[in-house]
């Protein structure tokens, strides 16, 4: 590919397809995640990273080697990696004396860091420790957030948005009712965040909607919030801008009344009433030579009577 | 009696209904916020820390999760469903949570010169059929591409039009015209791209860059020199300027009907060379083969040195006269083979 002022022009169809898949689109695809390890990791951190990788399987990359970087101080290497693999979400795990069992959840906009949250793992139960049948790979999970902190505190609001982005999976237009198996439940309580992952069993209830019974599968985390790096308000607003083409076009001239009848206005041009098309009545048709008599006849009749 | 039984039945029915709904109904202070498009539910109710600690964390969390999931499932079951290949599927509504994009939205491509003109004139794009009827082949063929209908280039007979020169090659003329059309199209396409990317392209010469290399500067100088009215003939050159390396025509052929005497000379020389019994000596080739052989022997000697470490130094068989033997050619090869064979035997 020849470089022209940083713009690459594809020479083969394959490279063209590759560039098109990475170019910005109107409706975006699933965000992919890169999961990486820091300079020093503990057993907990490595198993936890592997578990989250298995949760996000098709849309995640797990790096095996350790990367000696500090995301909160210098995010250039993270940005480089994200540009190379076209991933906009990242999860960085590390362990040191000052911050044991550390997870950094983050997301990117235009390959620059938007938000970063450092969460410490206090308690972790891995997938392999809980011995039950798991959900199949790639099921879209249901997300439940509990706790008023997620709505009152600013940092927790951003964290909620990031967690939704992270765990929601591909956007679908319809979902199979029997396939709603996986539930991720986040609880914010007393400055801690509890993540539990359940498999829901749909039991018969008297009516159409089934009764839910939960069975714990999957990793369970007890997080504590450490440092954060939030994007400025302008950058956050810029990242949320949707292209105009996506806005649904308004249908004009449609209004409805209280009863639900839809109305529309029809704008008529001025009509020439002399050329109006009415019902033809043969009797009223004008005959030759009668116009003058009609006026005089009734008068004559009156006089006679 | 009947009245009592009716009342009883009604009461019973009500009780049953209540029981059925009990299993799926959940009591909450505040209603949850749902985003069914994302399969998301948010519970804003206060969580009592006392309950949390009393009952044991896992059980408390599990019951809370069960209640919230039940409410979410109730919402999902309210959606319209359809049967898609024996599978019951619920159609999800639009997502209500606004999440940030991955990349900024794409900028629309600016219209090309033709598109602007067409818009101005009101010219609409006409949809064309994929296949066209080919009279000669009597079948439907594609409009352009491999094995196209009414292919101009495959014609074996072109009538010479009355107004043109009878000695002109019509086939060559057609080929040349096509090449020019293709080149013009490509040029316009690249100009459109440059205009879209807002890159300034020079008419002839170099692109503006931060650092120019030596070759590019020399090229720039030569281009500037030839862009005068007399194409650089009366321009003074700089003190250390060398004439440009690849100027002029790339390949030069002698004209077909040119200098008869030189042509005769060349052809006689050729016949002489062909008729020679001894091979012609190509000096450069001989020297090159000699040098290659010397290098090979040096390398072999070094390898032997490395293995055995004898006191032998220098070349074993090096230093022969260059012109002593013939180079490549039938006689040369045989001679070389003979020569190499001798030391082997010894």
């Amino acid at each position: 590919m020849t470089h022209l002022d940083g713009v690459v022009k594809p020479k083969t169809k394959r490279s063209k397809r590759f560039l098109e898949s990475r170019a910005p689109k109107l409706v975006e695809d699933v965000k992919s995640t890169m999961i990486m390890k820091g300079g020093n990791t503990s057993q907990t951190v490595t198993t936890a990273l592997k578990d989250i990788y298995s949760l996000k399987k098709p849309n995640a990359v797990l790096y095996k080697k350790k990367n000696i970087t500090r995301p909160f101080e210098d995010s250039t290497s993270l940005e480089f990696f994200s540009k190379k693999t076209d991933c906009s979400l990242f999860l960085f795990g590390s362990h040191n004396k000052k911050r044991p069992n550390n997870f950094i959840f983050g997301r990117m906009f235009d390959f620059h860091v938007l938000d970063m949250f450092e969460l410490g793992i206090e308690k972790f139960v891995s997938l392999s420790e809980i011995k039950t049948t798991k959900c199949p790979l790639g099921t879209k999970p249901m997300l439940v957030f509990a706790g008023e902190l997620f709505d009152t505190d600013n940092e927790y609001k951003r964290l909620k948005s990031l967690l939704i982005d992270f765990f929601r999976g591909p956007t679908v237009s319809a979902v199979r009712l029997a396939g709603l198996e996986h539930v991720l439940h986040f609880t914010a309580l007393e400055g801690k965040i509890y993540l539990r992952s359940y498999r829901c069993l749909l039991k018969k209830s008297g009516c159409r909607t089934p009764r839910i019974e939960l069975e714990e599968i999957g990793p369970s985390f007890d997080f504590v919030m450490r440092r954060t790096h939030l994007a400025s308000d302008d950058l956050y607003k810029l990242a949320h801008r949707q292209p105009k083409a996506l806005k649904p076009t308004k249908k004009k001239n449609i209004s409805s009344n209280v009863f639900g009848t839809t109305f529309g206005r029809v704008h008529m041009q001025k009509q020439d009433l002399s050329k109006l098309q009415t019902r033809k009545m043969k009797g009223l048709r004008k005959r030759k030579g009668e116009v003058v008599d009609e006026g005089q006849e009734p008068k004559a009749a009156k006089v006679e009577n | 009696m009947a009245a009592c039984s009716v009342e009883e039945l009604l009461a019973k029915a009500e009780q049953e209904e209540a029981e059925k709904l009990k299993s799926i109904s959940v009591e909450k202070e505040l209603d949850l916020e749902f985003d069914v498009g994302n399969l998301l539910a948010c519970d804003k109710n206060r969580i009592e820390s006392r309950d949390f600690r009393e009952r044991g964390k896992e059980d408390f969390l599990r019951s809370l999760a069960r209640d919230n999931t039940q409410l979410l499932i109730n919402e999902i079951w309210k959606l319209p469903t359809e049967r898609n290949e024996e599978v019951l599927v619920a159609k999800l509504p639009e997502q209500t949570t606004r999440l940030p994009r991955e990349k900024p939205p794409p900028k629309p491509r600016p219209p090309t010169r033709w598109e602007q003109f067409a818009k101005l004139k009101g010219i609409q794009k006409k949809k064309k059929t994929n296949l066209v009827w080919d009279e000669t082949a009597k079948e439907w063929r594609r409009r352009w591409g491999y094995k196209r209908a009414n292919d101009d280039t495959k014609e074996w007979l072109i009538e010479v039009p009355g107004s043109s020169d009878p000695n002109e090659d019509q086939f060559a003329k057609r080929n040349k015209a096509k090449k020019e059309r293709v080149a013009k199209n490509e040029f316009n396409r690249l100009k459109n791209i440059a205009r879209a990317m807002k890159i300034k392209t020079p008419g002839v010469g170099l692109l503006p860059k931060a650092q120019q290399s030596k070759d590019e500067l020399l090229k720039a100088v030569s281009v500037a020199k030839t862009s005068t009215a007399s194409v650089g003939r009366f321009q003074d050159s700089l003190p250390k300027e060398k004439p440009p390396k690849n100027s002029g025509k790339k390949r030069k052929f002698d004209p077909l009907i040119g200098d008869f005497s030189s042509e005769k000379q060349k052809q006689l020389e050729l016949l002489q060379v062909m008729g020679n019994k001894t091979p012609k000596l190509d000096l450069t080739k001989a020297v090159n083969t000699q040098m290659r052989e010397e290098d090979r022997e040096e390398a072999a000697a070094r390898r032997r040195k490395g293995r055995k470490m004898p006191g032998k130094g220098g070349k074993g068989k090096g230093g022969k006269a260059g012109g002593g033997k013939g180079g490549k050619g039938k006689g040369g090869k045989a001679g070389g083979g003979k020569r190499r064979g001798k030391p082997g035997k010894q």
Side-chain angles (χ1 to χ4, degrees):
Chain A
M1 298 191 213
T2 52
H3 281 260
L4 182 70
D5 290 338
V7 173
V8 181
K9 294 243 166 35
K11 285 201 163 162
T12 57
K13 280 250 165 76
R14 187 166 172 234
S15 52
K16 188 176 170 197
R17 265 183 275 139
F18 176 79
L19 283 179
E20 270 178 16
S21 73
R22 295 229 171 155
K25 301 182 190 90
L26 273 184
V27 178
E28 293 187 322
D29 316 317
V30 191
K31 290 193 187 180
S32 38
T33 318
M34 39 183 197
I35 303 176
M36 43 212 297
K37 297 196 270 195
N40 200 3
T41 50
S42 60
Q43 183 68 31
T44 349
V45 170
T46 33
T47 4
L49 287 173
K50 273 203 199 136
D51 282 351
I52 294 204
Y53 172 65
S54 63
L55 271 183
K56 292 214 67 176
K57 239 325 172 38
N59 307 311
V61 211
L62 175 68
Y63 288 116
K64 284 193 180 157
K65 288 209 175 153
K66 297 190 180 169
N67 301 290
I68 305 177
T69 44
R70 301 204 174 115
F72 274 88
E73 284 153 36
D74 178 28
S75 47
T76 43
S77 89
L78 279 177
E79 291 173 2
F80 172 75
F81 277 125
S82 103
K83 209 181 264 194
K84 278 286 163 181
T85 55
D86 194 30
C87 291
S88 56
L89 297 166
F90 67 88
L91 173 58
F92 187 88
S94 66
H95 174 82
N96 48 24
K97 211 164 167 190
K98 192 169 176 195
R99 290 176 236 274
N101 297 331
N102 209 14
F103 259 18
I104 302 181
F105 284 92
R107 65 181 158 190
M108 308 259 191
F109 175 69
D110 199 16
F111 306 118
H112 293 292
V113 168
L114 185 66
D115 284 339
M116 273 199 292
F117 288 90
E118 191 173 48
L119 300 169
I121 304 174
E122 302 217 314
K123 194 181 126 210
F124 165 61
V125 182
S126 90
L127 270 173
S128 41
E129 281 174 35
I130 306 173
K131 306 219 191 301
T132 46
T133 46
K134 317 279 186 210
C135 293
L137 204 69
T139 40
K140 192 167 156 85
M142 294 185 276
L143 303 165
V144 185
F145 286 84
E148 34 181 31
L149 273 174
F150 276 129
D151 284 296
T152 49
D153 191 32
N154 208 17
E155 288 195 350
Y156 276 81
K157 270 197 260 189
R158 290 273 182 106
L159 177 63
K160 179 177 159 194
S161 152
L162 195 148
L163 289 172
I164 297 173
D165 224 350
F166 209 87
F167 287 110
R168 70 168 166 161
T171 315
V172 281
S173 57
V175 70
R176 198 173 129 242
L177 289 178
L180 291 166
E181 290 181 315
H182 195 45
V183 181
L184 283 168
H185 188 88
F186 299 87
T187 323
L189 187 64
E190 295 165 354
K192 289 206 193 157
I193 299 161
Y194 301 95
L195 160 64
R196 298 287 180 269
S197 163
Y198 301 102
R199 177 154 182 245
C200 67
L201 309 158
L202 309 164
K203 293 267 160 67
K204 263 195 196 189
S205 76
C207 49
R208 195 172 150 247
T209 322
R211 184 182 162 76
I212 299 288
E213 292 296 332
L214 294 182
E215 190 190 337
E216 184 158 1
I217 54 158
S220 78
F221 290 91
D222 287 2
F223 288 122
V224 67
M225 186 92 107
R226 288 179 187 159
R227 295 181 287 181
T228 56
H229 174 270
L230 302 178
S232 63
D233 280 335
D234 323 327
L235 185 58
Y236 202 63
K237 267 195 200 159
L238 185 68
H240 282 264
R241 254 207 222 153
Q242 302 290 347
K244 271 198 180 159
L246 277 184
K247 261 195 268 177
T249 46
K250 275 194 198 163
K251 277 193 160 181
K252 290 187 179 173
N253 201 11
I254 293 181
S255 56
S256 53
N257 71 354
V258 187
F259 301 105
T261 335
T262 40
F263 291 101
R265 282 203 113 136
V266 179
H267 300 268
M268 290 290 300
Q269 292 167 333
K270 199 156 166 71
Q271 279 183 306
D272 187 6
L273 291 169
S274 59
K275 296 208 174 67
L276 200 63
Q277 176 88 325
T278 51
R279 282 177 71 185
K280 293 186 177 81
M281 293 190 190
K282 269 196 185 171
L284 298 176
R285 234 194 274 169
K286 290 189 183 139
R287 281 187 289 255
K288 271 192 194 172
E290 215 183 272
V291 185
V292 186
D293 293 359
E294 271 178 16
Q296 280 180 4
E297 261 190 327
K299 272 192 189 163
K302 269 190 187 167
V303 167
E304 274 172 25
N305 287 341
Chain B
M1 260 287 274
C4 288
S5 61
V6 166
E7 274 176 22
E8 275 175 31
L9 277 172
L10 278 174
K12 242 196 201 172
E14 256 189 64
Q15 243 189 356
E16 276 176 26
E17 275 289 325
E19 267 184 36
K20 276 187 197 171
L21 285 175
K22 219 185 5 178
S23 59
I24 60 160
S25 61
V26 177
E27 277 294 316
K28 285 270 181 185
E29 278 179 12
L30 280 169
D31 277 333
L32 307 200
E33 275 182 9
F34 296 105
D35 176 8
V36 196
N38 266 327
L39 299 180
L40 174 71
C42 300
D43 182 10
K44 291 197 182 68
N45 293 302
R46 264 196 61 133
I47 303 173
E48 294 295 330
S49 331
R50 272 179 285 127
D51 290 334
F52 186 60
R53 257 168 272 159
E54 270 174 31
R55 284 174 53 180
K57 280 197 290 184
E58 296 302 318
D59 292 333
F60 178 76
L61 288 174
R62 183 193 285 242
S63 63
L64 181 64
R66 198 221 77 80
D67 291 340
N68 290 333
T69 325
Q70 182 72 63
L71 288 166
L72 178 60
I73 291 277
N74 292 352
E75 278 299 313
I76 294 176
W77 248 254
K78 286 182 196 163
L79 295 171
T81 59
E82 58 180 27
R83 212 149 246 285
N84 187 358
E85 295 164 18
E86 305 160 6
V87 171
L88 200 57
V89 155
K91 291 188 73 92
L92 294 176
E94 280 276 328
Q95 301 176 6
T96 46
T97 5
R98 278 188 72 198
L99 291 167
R101 282 178 65 101
E102 209 179 6
K103 295 169 190 144
K107 293 189 188 73
R109 196 171 55 101
T112 59
R113 261 180 84 81
W114 167 253
E115 281 172 6
Q116 288 169 356
F117 177 75
K119 201 167 149 198
L120 187 66
K121 280 274 191 164
I123 301 172
Q124 312 279 23
K125 252 194 180 179
K126 286 214 179 94
K127 254 216 154 192
K128 297 197 173 124
T129 59
N130 284 342
L131 302 175
V132 187
W133 179 252
D134 188 7
E135 266 308 314
T136 44
K138 297 276 191 293
E139 61 173 5
W140 290 96
R141 282 206 174 151
R142 57 188 81 169
R143 190 180 285 274
W144 60 273
Y146 181 61
K147 283 193 192 157
R148 54 179 172 275
N150 310 323
D151 194 351
D152 251 356
T153 54
K154 299 272 193 277
E155 258 182 54
W156 52 272
L157 179 75
I158 305 177
E159 284 177 14
V160 177
S163 54
S164 70
D165 180 17
N167 289 333
E168 195 183 8
D169 185 1
Q170 296 296 326
F171 294 99
K173 185 170 151 195
R174 225 179 232 195
N175 279 340
K176 205 166 143 200
K178 184 176 171 86
K179 284 206 179 105
E180 279 179 14
R181 274 181 276 136
V182 168
K184 178 173 175 256
N185 192 17
E186 184 64 21
F187 182 65
N188 281 331
R189 185 182 77 88
L190 291 174
K191 263 205 333 203
N192 278 331
I193 291 173
R195 201 181 303 119
M197 306 252 188
K198 298 199 177 36
I199 299 167
K200 289 196 198 288
T201 47
V204 78
L206 310 165
L207 303 159
K209 265 203 292 204
Q211 304 288 11
Q212 310 275 29
S213 73
K214 194 167 146 195
D215 304 320
E216 286 169 352
L217 284 172
L218 286 172
K219 191 175 173 204
V221 165
S222 65
V223 165
K225 207 168 158 193
T226 44
S227 16
T228 53
S230 43
V231 205
R233 272 180 64 193
F234 304 111
Q235 294 295 104
D236 303 323
S237 39
L238 295 170
K240 283 191 193 170
E241 192 188 343
K242 293 179 212 162
K245 272 197 275 183
N246 303 323
S247 61
K249 286 199 195 143
K250 289 189 186 146
R251 289 181 76 182
K252 197 162 182 237
F253 294 106
D254 293 327
L256 221 50
I257 304 168
D259 191 5
F260 286 115
S261 55
S262 69
E263 193 181 333
K264 183 179 168 188
Q265 201 67 21
K266 275 197 205 140
Q267 293 193 352
L268 286 174
E269 271 180 31
L270 185 66
L271 285 171
Q272 211 178 37
V273 167
M274 279 166 58
N276 264 351
K277 298 240 172 88
T278 57
K280 197 175 82 158
L281 179 61
D282 189 353
L283 203 60
T284 32
K285 280 193 178 160
V287 171
N288 281 343
T289 1
Q290 192 62 36
M291 286 180 22
R292 231 183 302 132
E293 261 191 46
E294 288 176 7
D295 287 334
R296 227 179 283 154
E297 282 158 16
E298 248 182 79
R302 233 176 279 143
R303 244 181 283 128
R304 250 178 275 129
K305 234 202 222 170
R307 263 187 260 151
K308 294 182 186 171
M309 295 261 281
K312 280 187 195 170
K315 311 167 193 175
K317 295 180 183 175
K320 284 203 180 85
K325 59 178 278 294
K328 290 229 163 97
K330 291 186 200 157
K333 240 192 186 167
K338 265 193 224 160
R339 211 181 53 74
R340 242 175 263 142
K342 267 191 191 166
K345 276 183 192 167
Q346 283 175 352

